[in-house]
Amino acid sequence: MDTPGTTGGQTPRPGHAQQHKFKSKRRKDGPESSGGTSTVSASPGMTLATPAMTLQPRGFTVMQFMEARSLELNSLLHSVQQNARTRHSLQSLPRHMRRRAVSHNPKRLPRRLREAGRREMLRSLQPGQKLEKPRRPRKWYRQRAANRQAEYGRRQGNIAWLETHVWHAKRFKMVDRWGCRIPEHPCDKSVRAAYRAMCRHCLIQDISYYGCIELTGLLDDILSLMGHFTDPDTGVGFGSVNCHEGTVEGATTLYRRDAYPHGALGPVTFMFRPRKDPTTLSEHQLWLWTHPACHLDILQELQSSSSDVSVTSVGHELARFRLIGPLAAATLETALDISPLENGTVQPGEVLARTVVDPRLNMPGKRTKVTPPAELGYFRADSTQHTGDLRADSMLGTGKSSTEPSLWDANVRRNLLQRARSGRDSGWDVGQDIEGSGEESRCVAGNDGPVAQDTTHVARDDGHAAEDEDHVAEDEDHVAGDVEHVARKDSGVVPILLVHQQGCTAGPSGFGEGWDVIAPAGWAMAFWLGFIYRGARAGGLREMRKLYLESNRPFFPDDYPDTAAHRSYSLAQAAQLREQHSRYPPGKRPNFARLGTAAPFHCPWDDLVRGWEQLSGTSSPGQSQRAQHSGTSSSGQSHEAQLSGTTPSGQPQGGTVCVARGSRIRQQLSKLYSSREGHDAGQLLSQLGAVLTHLVVVRVQMVSRGTPVARAMICAPTMDDVAGGVASDPVEPPHREERGNDGCDIVGHCSRVTIGYVTEGANSLSEGRGVGMGLCVVQALLAALQAQQDRRPPVVLVRNPNSAQYRFAHVTVV
């Protein structure tokens, strides 16, 4: 097929296409165009021909081209590297990668620019300025005092702190009681956890707020002086052989001089300093441990009555802990590394003197729980294999050598306190006979700071006390458990006293049994952390009340209404409860007048005793006495004063109440209520005629339902109540609200006669029912017993102040 512009069978010439395009352009520009070819006019005689046009490609040399371009590339790189203006390395980053903090921390730059940024920061530093500024301390560190001990002393004011206050303040509810700031209860768990510790493990309490009075003089003078303030029938007397030999701690109740059974001061425990020959005429020492509520009263009474006996207060020189539970002995043995305590020969109240090493040397890395005695395998062979002959009795606490430092010595206590505060050794040479005693001594108390300052050491940082405790344990890790090394360091020994606590005898077997540890002042925190790290659980006042309630023991000052301490405590508590009651509107608070509660905020012991004195011989306890007692009471006091526990002058009531604490009377009353045989009323009155108007401590146990609370009324049931059985609990009918009545009868105010009050009540975890401690009038108990001759054991009625429901309960004389 022929292509346009070619003749058939001919091949187009080169350049034919270019010529065709050129001609087409000329046709567009020129006026005449005809045909498919262009004609060129020629002069005559010339030959017409079409010339061939050829376009040659332009060639170049590669090396020459690269040499020409290299100069341009070098100029471009030089311009990029040499900026016309000064720029920071941060400015070379994209905007989304720039950080403000990189100006003072080059580590926030990418790794490729980090070194350049560091050089730029070094060039910008001033003379003497460092590259990295120190981190600003936290706020608590900036605001802390330069002298923390002085700051704590200033913050205390008139309220004294325990050495373990900082530890407790972060974990406990703290309250101000008796001039001290005392832990009330822990913030993490309820009382059930503390009860489990009492029954299965170990519960520890800091009772260093108890006072200690030291009496120094001849034994006969001391016994003659104390004979004026107590009666042998109220407890273990001071003249007991075991007591004045210093082997047993006794307990009794002190009264004002020659005022027994009136004028009670409070309960005390006492111990004599042991002596090799008690019959010698040299001076003896007696320690009286008193509750802070009655400490000043007892101290002033003794100082004003003693002439040949020196009486001083040494409570601030000692610290005392109480460990309760089946693992209390094992906790002491493990924390203090002493010989076994539960060897079957420990008698109740036994006092043991021991010299132990610093408990921090034996502290584990983390909190652990000791092994029960049944699994412990006394005596542990692995703890004595590496000691050899270096295990001296004076070091591990099994000896009683006279050369040992004694806690009874005031100079020793003073040196121990100085060591605790300054961290310097006070100069004992207890281990001089032990190998290596000539080496340079290391003060254990000051190894990680003074022990007195270790109380604040625990409060460091941001509330994580476990970090500080771990820090102490890590610091001593190189010597923890190394008895051989510790034995050569005589500066680490501390004398202590261990006092056995008998616990409950009437309730669960062994409940409340444990040991007390008496240590020198300044070392409380060291011992406390040692016991805590061995699994002991800390408790406060609430746990102590629970312990006394479960073990059937009266608690001071709640169960001592004949003391000034109880009257002051009752007055303050009544004011607090009344203020709390007034905060609620009438529709949201109980109507005590309608319920028939005469004293909802306190226990009116004086009015109760006075009412039974007037009621004696006029009626039986099963009859209502509301009609016989109306208007004002015999004392003429106003109703508001009776409810608040004060006289019209504002002073606490008192002076007429007396509590029967004689063992003979209590045993006789307890036998009467526990016996299932009837007794002659005339014989009972003749035997107990001297104490009919006295109060006696009782324990109430609910028969079925109900839980007594504090200030609940203990009433005598009527004949109809007893005949109906304990299955149907009676109910108090509604009372009429009488305004303007200035007085009310405490005994016959309700349909059932009031015979006593409950001071503390709760649900017993050991018995599974409601129980309570209280006091009743002896005459009222005998009357209730006489009215129930056909029923054994006799019952009483208990009604809470905010309820009209009576509940049947059994009563036991404590």
Side-chain angles (χ1 to χ4, degrees):
M1 182 176 179
D2 296 337
T3 58
T6 61
T7 60
Q10 296 181 353
T11 303
R13 296 188 305 272
H16 178 75
Q18 288 82 352
Q19 294 178 5
H20 176 73
K21 292 179 179 181
F22 180 74
K23 292 177 180 179
S24 299
K25 184 177 181 180
R26 290 182 58 186
R27 284 196 300 267
K28 292 179 181 180
D29 298 337
E32 67 273 19
S33 62
S34 61
T37 60
S38 303
T39 60
V40 180
S41 61
S43 62
M46 294 182 61
T47 303
L48 296 175
T50 303
M53 300 180 64
T54 303
L55 300 177
Q56 296 293 336
R58 184 179 180 183
F60 66 93
T61 305
V62 176
M63 295 302 298
Q64 293 178 353
F65 179 81
M66 293 179 62
E67 289 177 358
R69 302 285 83 77
S70 63
L71 297 177
E72 298 176 1
L73 292 175
N74 291 335
S75 177
L76 180 62
L77 291 176
H78 181 74
S79 300
V80 171
Q81 294 177 356
Q82 299 294 333
N83 294 332
R85 58 176 181 174
T86 303
R87 299 183 63 187
H88 196 275
S89 57
L90 177 63
Q91 296 175 338
S92 61
L93 291 175
R95 293 188 179 275
H96 71 279
M97 295 182 62
R98 298 179 185 181
R99 297 293 183 268
R100 180 181 60 181
V102 77
S103 59
H104 58 79
N105 187 6
K107 294 182 180 180
R108 291 184 175 270
L109 282 171
R111 192 178 298 275
R112 60 185 178 86
L113 299 176
R114 194 169 297 170
E115 186 63 26
R118 184 177 181 87
R119 290 195 302 266
E120 293 174 356
M121 294 183 65
L122 288 175
R123 288 195 301 266
S124 63
L125 292 179
Q126 299 295 331
Q129 185 180 0
K130 295 182 180 180
L131 177 60
E132 296 182 0
K133 298 180 180 180
R135 180 184 298 177
R136 188 186 185 191
R138 283 172 289 185
K139 183 177 180 180
W140 70 266
Y141 189 87
R142 298 195 308 267
Q143 295 181 351
R144 69 171 187 170
N147 190 336
R148 196 175 302 180
Q149 290 294 323
E151 176 64 15
Y152 283 166
R154 183 192 64 81
R155 289 169 55 185
Q156 292 181 32
N158 297 329
I159 303 297
W161 287 3
L162 303 178
E163 290 188 37
T164 58
H165 170 81
V166 177
W167 190 93
H168 279 99
K170 295 185 293 184
R171 300 166 177 86
F172 277 69
K173 165 68 176 178
M174 308 297 291
V175 294
D176 295 340
R177 293 284 189 277
W178 313 298
C180 304
R181 187 152 296 169
I182 303 174
E184 174 72 15
H185 59 82
C187 300
D188 53 351
K189 297 291 183 181
S190 64
V191 73
R192 190 178 294 270
Y195 175 77
R196 285 196 299 265
M198 299 179 202
C199 297
R200 305 175 187 176
H201 307 292
C202 177
L203 179 74
I204 184 173
Q205 297 170 326
D206 187 357
I207 57 174
S208 301
Y209 54 86
Y210 271 59
C212 183
I213 301 175
E214 182 180 84
L215 284 77
T216 306
L218 299 179
L219 178 60
D220 294 339
D221 296 337
I222 294 177
L223 296 180
S224 176
L225 173 64
M226 300 309 300
H228 295 281
F229 298 94
T230 186
D231 186 88
D233 197 29
T234 60
V236 180
F238 290 92
S240 175
V241 177
N242 292 336
C243 290
H244 67 70
E245 285 183 354
T247 59
V248 174
E249 182 186 45
T252 187
T253 302
L254 294 186
Y255 296 80
R256 297 194 180 275
R257 184 180 179 91
D258 300 330
Y260 177 83
H262 301 277
L265 293 174
V268 298
T269 58
F270 60 90
M271 62 181 70
F272 281 88
R273 181 175 184 174
R275 305 179 62 85
K276 291 184 177 180
D277 187 7
T279 60
T280 58
L281 298 179
S282 58
E283 289 189 344
H284 287 65
Q285 283 181 266
L286 172 65
W287 279 356
L288 296 176
W289 290 90
T290 62
H291 193 275
C294 61
H295 176 74
L296 291 179
D297 294 340
I298 295 177
L299 180 63
Q300 295 174 0
E301 194 74 19
L302 293 176
Q303 288 179 343
S304 61
S305 303
S306 62
S307 57
D308 300 331
V309 179
S310 174
V311 180
T312 57
S313 178
V314 296
H316 60 282
E317 301 178 6
L318 300 168
R320 185 162 183 166
F321 304 134
R322 178 159 295 171
L323 286 79
I324 301 297
L327 297 185
T331 302
L332 288 177
E333 297 162 11
T334 309
L336 304 180
D337 199 5
I338 58 178
S339 57
L341 298 174
E342 300 290 347
N343 53 8
T345 60
V346 177
Q347 55 181 331
E350 184 171 357
V351 181
L352 303 176
R354 293 292 182 262
T355 303
V356 300
V357 298
D358 191 334
R360 292 173 296 178
L361 300 180
N362 195 29
M363 188 177 296
K366 63 179 182 179
R367 186 177 181 182
T368 58
K369 189 170 293 185
V370 297
T371 307
E375 306 174 6
L376 200 55
Y378 293 124
F379 183 73
R380 303 184 300 272
D382 56 346
S383 63
T384 56
Q385 288 179 353
H386 64 284
T387 59
D389 298 335
L390 294 175
R391 179 185 167 276
D393 287 343
S394 61
M395 291 290 102
L396 296 183
T398 58
K400 296 181 181 180
S401 174
S402 60
T403 60
E404 294 182 5
S406 175
L407 198 61
W408 292 88
D409 191 351
N411 294 328
V412 172
R413 297 194 301 268
R414 191 178 303 108
N415 293 337
L416 284 168
L417 182 59
Q418 183 180 2
R419 281 176 48 196
R421 290 179 175 176
S422 62
R424 294 190 298 270
D425 184 28
S426 58
W428 288 342
D429 195 14
V430 182
Q432 58 183 356
D433 297 333
I434 302 177
E435 180 182 356
S437 60
E439 300 180 4
E440 183 181 358
S441 62
R442 175 177 58 87
C443 181
V444 180
N447 186 53
D448 60 329
V451 179
Q453 296 180 3
D454 195 51
T455 304
T456 62
H457 174 75
V458 181
R460 287 198 321 234
D461 296 337
D462 51 353
H464 300 283
E467 298 179 0
D468 297 303
E469 298 163 1
D470 291 337
H471 176 68
V472 176
E474 292 173 0
D475 289 345
E476 304 293 350
D477 184 63
H478 63 285
V479 293
D482 192 354
V483 182
E484 178 180 354
H485 178 79
V486 174
R488 293 196 297 263
K489 306 302 179 181
D490 57 281
S491 61
V493 295
V494 182
I496 63 172
L497 294 178
L498 302 178
V499 184
H500 180 262
Q501 297 295 322
Q502 182 179 5
C504 178
T505 57
S509 177
F511 182 81
E513 185 178 3
W515 290 85
D516 283 9
V517 180
I518 303 177
W523 292 81
M525 201 62 204
F527 281 87
W528 180 267
L529 291 181
F531 299 142
I532 293 296
Y533 264 60
R534 293 298 179 178
R537 182 177 185 84
L541 282 178
R542 185 185 66 181
E543 286 69 29
M544 183 177 291
R545 290 192 184 96
K546 185 67 174 179
L547 171 64
Y548 275 70
L549 180 63
E550 295 284 354
S551 57
N552 304 333
R553 289 183 292 173
F555 185 74
F556 185 85
D558 300 40
D559 301 328
Y560 289 77
D562 55 342
T563 61
H566 173 86
R567 289 188 288 271
S568 300
Y569 172 74
S570 178
L571 176 62
Q573 187 182 40
Q576 180 181 1
L577 292 175
R578 176 177 290 276
E579 180 183 0
Q580 181 179 0
H581 177 77
S582 302
R583 293 197 190 109
Y584 293 92
K588 300 296 184 180
R589 64 190 183 190
N591 190 341
F592 295 120
R594 188 72 172 172
L595 293 172
T597 304
F601 307 120
H602 79 295
C603 299
W605 303 111
D606 298 273
D607 296 334
L608 179 67
V609 172
R610 191 181 300 109
W612 275 99
E613 289 177 353
Q614 297 177 358
L615 192 63
S616 177
T618 59
S619 62
S620 64
Q623 299 177 356
S624 175
Q625 302 297 324
R626 295 180 59 187
Q628 299 183 12
H629 300 272
S630 60
T632 59
S633 61
S634 59
S635 60
Q637 299 176 11
S638 64
H639 183 53
E640 296 295 330
Q642 292 182 357
L643 291 182
S644 62
T646 61
T647 61
S649 61
Q651 298 298 325
Q653 299 178 5
T656 61
V657 177
C658 183
V659 179
R661 297 189 179 92
S663 58
R664 180 183 58 84
I665 298 175
R666 291 186 290 108
Q667 291 175 3
Q668 192 171 6
L669 288 174
S670 179
K671 184 178 179 180
L672 290 176
Y673 263 80
S674 60
S675 176
R676 296 185 178 273
E677 300 179 358
H679 298 274
D680 184 15
Q683 183 180 1
L684 295 178
L685 293 177
S686 62
Q687 294 176 355
L688 303 174
V691 295
L692 289 179
T693 58
H694 291 192
L695 297 174
V696 64
V697 182
V698 297
R699 175 182 173 88
V700 293
Q701 300 171 332
M702 311 307 292
V703 174
S704 58
R705 302 177 60 184
T707 301
V709 298
R711 298 170 302 280
M713 292 171 286
I714 304 176
C715 303
T718 63
M719 299 301 297
D720 296 338
D721 296 337
V722 177
V726 296
S728 57
D729 297 326
V731 178
E732 177 70 18
H735 288 231
R736 185 180 60 182
E737 299 184 28
E738 299 179 358
R739 297 188 179 183
N741 186 13
D742 295 335
C744 64
D745 176 31
I746 298 299
V747 176
H749 181 69
C750 302
S751 60
R752 277 77 178 176
V753 177
T754 304
I755 64 175
Y757 285 93
V758 175
T759 57
E760 183 67 24
N763 181 42
S764 175
L765 298 178
S766 61
E767 301 181 18
R769 56 179 175 177
V771 298
M773 296 292 295
L775 292 97
C776 294
V777 181
V778 175
Q779 178 185 354
L781 282 178
L782 294 178
L785 178 64
Q786 181 183 359
Q788 304 179 48
Q789 290 288 343
D790 299 335
R791 179 180 179 82
R792 289 292 184 272
V795 294
V796 295
L797 293 175
V798 177
R799 183 166 72 94
N800 291 334
N802 59 348
S803 173
Q805 182 69 58
Y806 288 96
R807 299 292 183 183
F808 282 100
H810 296 294
V811 62
T812 305
V813 178
V814 179

